[in-house]
Amino acid sequence: MITKAHAPILLMAITFALPWYTGCDTGGIPVELRIDEFTMDLSVDDLVDDALAEFKALGVIPPETQYLPEFWPESLPAIKHSIVLTSPAEVVDLTPDPGSADADKYSDISKAEGVIARIDLNRLVVRIEASTLTMNLPELRLQLADQKDADPDDRLAWRTIGSIPGAGPGFVGDLEFAFVPGGESFLRSQMSDDLKEFAIRVRSKIEFDTDQNPRLPAGLAKVRLIVVATFFVDPIGAIDAI
């Protein structure tokens, strides 16, 4: 919300920018925003622990088994199984409460609330910051929920907006993101509504196939989301709001 405290700063910016703005079709005064502090952990070790109970229930391994072996023994029947791997959700709030720890990060966007003409997504990257995975990193899907406290088990609350390709074991680096149809529009709508808050997570599928690879998947990957966007502020709307 634009308050009286913001008015002098915003008016000064508009005063200098308005002649340039009215002389060309820009769609507003650009304010660039970089979001790069959200990290998510993908733990294959936790999945393997969960798979132990499943394999016991299926009768694949004896019920007294305490842990799955690193290498699948020939004495046990081969298995082919897939498990969905989901990171804990991260909450994105671009308009935090004044005085909160994150208030300064997005102050320019908070000041322009309600007068954003459009948003351009300049770049979206998923960075693998660290990885101890013993398997290929599978394709990852980025999912978004418009409620920041969305139930992680509510399939209808989460929407896949795009994906990144897989990579080799232990890969560290940036992977370019590809939107699915409608995914970019959905992300833009979440960044431009009144609340500007939502939840994000990454999701993938791990395949167990002991015939193809007797070594069971293990390790953890730390994933970082980086978004660079430009918010175009409508100067006429800003003056009206003030």
Side-chain angles (χ1 to χ4, degrees):
M1 177 181 297
I2 299 176
T3 66
K4 291 182 178 179
H6 299 139
I9 299 173
L10 198 54
L11 273 174
M12 184 178 296
I14 292 168
T15 299
F16 284 104
L18 193 55
W20 165 79
Y21 166 80
T22 55
C24 56
D25 184 17
T26 64
I29 301 170
V31 178
E32 186 172 283
L33 173 69
R34 180 183 175 91
I35 305 171
D36 65 356
E37 68 266 26
F38 297 105
T39 59
M40 295 158 278
D41 290 341
L42 285 172
S43 175
V44 177
D45 292 334
D46 291 345
L47 271 189
V48 171
D49 290 341
D50 294 339
L52 174 62
E54 291 189 38
F55 294 157
K56 287 181 181 180
L58 293 171
V60 175
I61 57 177
E64 65 272 12
T65 303
Q66 297 297 311
Y67 57 89
L68 290 175
E70 182 180 352
F71 287 88
W72 197 254
E74 295 182 358
S75 58
L76 292 176
I79 59 170
K80 188 174 183 178
H81 190 65
S82 62
I83 299 179
V84 174
L85 176 62
T86 306
S87 74
E90 283 282 344
V91 174
V92 181
D93 184 357
L94 301 183
T95 54
D97 294 334
S100 66
D102 294 332
D104 290 342
K105 292 180 185 178
Y106 309 121
S107 59
D108 288 340
I109 301 305
S110 297
K111 293 171 189 176
E113 183 180 354
V115 292
I116 294 173
R118 82 171 196 269
I119 298 174
D120 285 354
L121 295 173
N122 309 114
R123 193 173 184 223
L124 197 156
V125 169
V126 176
R127 174 173 296 168
I128 311 300
E129 289 200 320
S131 175
T132 59
L133 296 180
T134 61
M135 42 162 277
N136 287 334
L137 179 72
E139 179 188 70
L140 300 179
R141 290 173 290 151
L142 181 65
Q143 294 191 323
L144 188 150
D146 61 4
Q147 299 295 324
K148 64 180 182 179
D149 55 353
D151 183 348
D153 297 322
D154 183 358
R155 180 176 58 85
L156 298 178
W158 294 88
R159 175 170 175 173
T160 298
I161 63 170
S163 63
I164 60 170
F171 171 85
V172 173
D174 291 353
L175 294 169
E176 288 294 334
F177 183 83
F179 283 105
V180 300
E184 184 173 359
S185 297
F186 188 65
L187 176 58
R188 269 204 302 259
S189 69
Q190 297 303 313
M191 296 176 69
S192 60
D193 66 14
D194 290 340
L195 291 177
K196 296 181 180 62
E197 59 184 30
F198 50 91
I200 55 173
R201 69 182 186 184
V202 288
R203 191 171 175 89
S204 188
K205 182 181 289 186
I206 304 298
E207 302 286 348
F208 290 77
D209 188 344
T210 57
D211 275 338
Q212 296 295 321
N213 185 2
R215 184 176 185 179
L216 293 186
L220 179 144
K222 186 174 290 293
V223 180
R224 188 180 197 86
L225 176 68
I226 302 172
V227 180
V228 180
T230 301
F231 289 70
F232 290 87
V233 179
D234 174 14
I236 305 301
I239 291 173
D240 291 341
I242 294 170

